[in-house]
Amino acid sequence: MSAVEESKRLAAYTAVDKHILSHHKIIGIGSGSTVPYVVDRIVQQGTELNKDRVFIPTGFQSKELIISAKLALGDVDEYLTIDVTIDGADEVDPNLNCIKGGGACHLREKVLAEAAKTFIVVADYRKNSAYLGKNFTQGVPIEVVPFAYAKVLQNLREQLGSPNASLRMAKAKAGPVVTDNGNFVIDAPFSKDLVQDPASLLAKIKMLTGVVEVGLFCNIAQAAYFGNQDGSVTVKRAQESGVVEEYVAAL
């Protein structure tokens, strides 16, 4: 296992051990490359704990992980309140604001994040950033209805300060990426000045007609776990006084 994969595993295992407890029965499972380790650790908790739990996926990938692990599959239509959702992130700033949507699942991810009593982010050390857009340079993912994508692109470029906003194109098919909801995705890079206040930027983008959801997750996460190269885990937690940071030794 590579150092990056090991750091993902460490973050996921530590977060599950801390936040997926015996009394949690409705659990949201996010998307991305760290999430398989989340499911692995949940399975390791044993059949007795998991037999009365229901797991809600954010997309096709997490649905398949849940089914493959022989865990009970549910839907947010039926379970409107989730005990804990654990998800990955493309980048996290010091205030626990996140960019998500590199895998084009951010609409469903945000629904499950907001439905959860506790929302936890897990990632490797590369996603722990001084500000959004520093490492994840391809831009803020924006899900749009296909009918409106050209106009949204124009508005992003000419009104909101993202001149290099572009429609995300598929790599194994001709044409654009299509989300699980049948929509397109625009990737919109913004300058450091504009993304320093991600909540304000989020509000402006959401006001554009045709935008379904934006991959900026602001003031939602209670904690973020980052696996490090030395085997430790950096934990950032939201408290009333602000975000506090601590380190957990290797498992």
Side-chain angles (χ1 to χ4, degrees):
M1 183 180 291
S2 69
V4 169
E5 288 302 310
E6 178 61 17
S7 68
K8 293 176 184 179
R9 187 189 70 84
L10 285 169
Y13 278 27
T14 304
V16 169
D17 291 352
K18 182 67 176 179
H19 296 281
I20 306 295
L21 306 179
S22 59
H23 62 279
H24 294 140
K25 302 302 181 185
I26 313 299
I27 299 165
I29 301 296
S31 310
S33 60
T34 307
V35 170
Y37 299 111
V38 171
V39 175
D40 286 347
R41 193 60 162 178
I42 289 171
V43 169
Q44 290 173 26
Q45 291 185 340
T47 304
E48 189 63 27
L49 273 182
N50 285 318
K51 66 183 178 64
D52 296 322
R53 288 172 168 169
V54 176
F55 297 85
I56 316 297
T58 58
F60 181 84
Q61 177 210 18
S62 47
K63 178 182 177 181
E64 291 300 301
L65 288 170
I66 292 166
I67 292 171
S68 297
K70 296 181 170 53
L71 300 171
L73 182 68
D75 194 277
V76 74
D77 288 349
E78 184 176 0
Y79 300 96
L80 300 179
T81 301
I82 297 170
D83 292 319
V84 184
T85 293
I86 298 187
D87 202 351
D90 296 300
E91 194 166 28
V92 185
D93 76 6
N95 295 312
L96 297 180
N97 299 307
C98 307
I99 291 180
K100 292 175 53 58
C105 298
H106 50 286
L107 169 59
R108 298 189 182 198
E109 289 171 341
K110 191 172 283 189
V111 170
L112 264 63
E114 293 182 345
K117 298 175 184 176
T118 303
F119 175 55
I120 304 299
V121 171
V122 292
D124 64 76
Y125 56 91
R126 301 172 302 171
K127 313 300 176 64
N128 185 6
S129 184
Y131 59 89
L132 298 181
K134 181 177 185 291
N135 300 327
F136 191 75
T137 57
Q138 50 263 62
V140 175
I142 304 168
E143 185 164 343
V144 298
V145 295
F147 174 78
Y149 89 88
K151 187 60 180 174
V152 173
L153 269 176
Q154 181 187 42
N155 290 337
L156 286 165
R157 291 167 177 168
E158 298 180 2
Q159 297 178 17
L160 294 190
S162 183
N164 295 319
S166 61
L167 185 65
R168 187 183 298 179
M169 303 305 289
K171 294 183 178 179
K173 66 175 279 290
V177 167
V178 179
T179 71
D180 289 349
N181 314 300
N183 296 316
F184 292 170
V185 176
I186 290 171
D187 293 307
F190 291 92
S191 68
K192 180 180 178 181
D193 289 343
L194 288 174
V195 83
Q196 287 279 31
D197 185 358
S200 176
L201 181 60
L202 166 63
K204 291 175 182 177
I205 299 172
K206 283 289 290 275
M207 287 298 293
L208 296 177
T209 301
V211 169
V212 179
E213 192 49 79
V214 182
L216 289 170
F217 285 52
C218 303
N219 305 313
I220 302 176
Q222 279 92 349
Y225 288 71
F226 304 97
N228 298 317
Q229 290 173 296
D230 64 0
S232 67
V233 176
T234 299
V235 184
K236 295 184 177 181
R237 303 182 192 279
Q239 297 186 352
E240 289 185 7
S241 59
V243 176
V244 298
E245 184 174 308
E246 63 185 28
Y247 295 89
V248 178
L251 293 172

